[in-house]
Amino acid sequence: MKIYTKRGDAGDTGLFGGGRVPKDDVRVDAYGEVDELNATLGLVRGFSPPPELDAMLHRLQDQLFTVGAVMATPMDAKAASHLPPLKESWVTDMENAMDRFDSELPKMTHFILPGGTQAAAALHLARTVCRRAERRAVPLLREGTIPKDVVIFLNRLSDLLFVMARVANHRANVQDVKWIPEKPSES
């Protein structure tokens, strides 16, 4: 398969299942954010997170590829029927993992600043990229361009990535970085 086609040289791109749209189309922007999120999870994996987290990140990357494909495919396109489905179990699995991880973590008493180990810091970055992807997906949901399951998945994933960052620090015996606001000076 040839990597370059030159078809996008005029500033448009093809959707899966047909049709062309400008590269700055809301849909293209949204699934581009999901692609960036997937790449960010690959970066996290390069920092050697604990094996359980690494395996989970690999599954999430597979799932995100499906999410991106669904977002890149008009729902009424014939190609939509050839895509793997988004599964409710993915969200349930994320919730179960968060509950399991939460039981091993110290109780949160402060807001947490992104940081700690390289893996934890990269997970915090992934969380912010996920939130941006979710923000880009919401207008598509509102206009009926994507299924609600996309937004639910991204919303739950950002929560999971936060918890995974805490777990990465905890398992490495690194304290989360607490936000301790400065007290206002009295004038």
Side-chain angles (χ1 to χ4, degrees):
M1 176 167 98
K2 204 170 194 177
I3 297 297
Y4 64 93
T5 63
K6 301 183 183 182
R7 288 187 295 240
D9 289 352
D12 61 347
T13 190
L15 296 176
F16 187 63
R20 295 193 71 76
V21 295
K23 288 186 177 185
D24 62 354
D25 183 83
V26 173
R27 178 192 290 268
V28 176
D29 189 34
Y31 70 72
E33 296 290 351
V34 169
D35 186 35
E36 183 178 347
L37 173 57
N38 207 331
T40 306
L41 295 186
L43 175 70
V44 173
R45 295 186 69 210
F47 288 125
S48 302
E52 179 185 7
L53 299 187
D54 187 57
M56 188 176 294
L57 288 165
H58 186 191
R59 279 191 310 277
L60 291 167
Q61 284 187 289
D62 285 340
Q63 293 167 1
L64 276 171
F65 209 88
T66 299
V67 168
V70 166
M71 294 174 77
T73 308
M75 292 193 320
D76 59 352
K78 193 176 192 178
S81 65
H82 299 288
L83 294 175
L86 301 180
K87 298 180 180 175
E88 285 183 37
S89 63
W90 296 350
V91 171
T92 304
D93 290 347
M94 286 190 274
E95 291 169 348
N96 290 337
M98 282 186 278
D99 292 341
R100 192 173 63 255
F101 291 148
D102 202 41
S103 69
E104 80 176 73
L105 292 170
K107 184 177 178 173
M108 274 184 47
T109 59
H110 291 78
F111 285 106
I112 294 173
L113 298 176
T117 66
Q118 287 181 320
L123 281 159
H124 280 295
L125 176 62
R127 172 187 54 80
T128 65
V129 173
C130 187
R131 285 286 186 210
R132 187 174 64 233
E134 181 185 6
R135 288 191 302 271
R136 298 296 193 277
V138 167
L140 298 174
L141 172 64
R142 208 174 7 245
E143 67 185 33
T145 307
I146 61 170
K148 185 177 182 180
D149 294 344
V150 167
V151 173
I152 293 170
F153 179 88
L154 293 172
N155 185 38
R156 209 66 81 251
L157 178 56
S158 64
D159 294 335
L160 175 62
L161 293 169
F162 175 78
V163 173
M164 289 174 80
R166 292 194 66 217
V167 168
N169 277 338
H170 181 71
R171 291 186 182 174
N173 293 313
V174 172
Q175 296 252 327
D176 285 320
V177 182
K178 295 178 180 176
W179 176 59
I180 302 172
E182 288 185 32
K183 298 194 188 288
S185 60
E186 293 183 29
S187 308

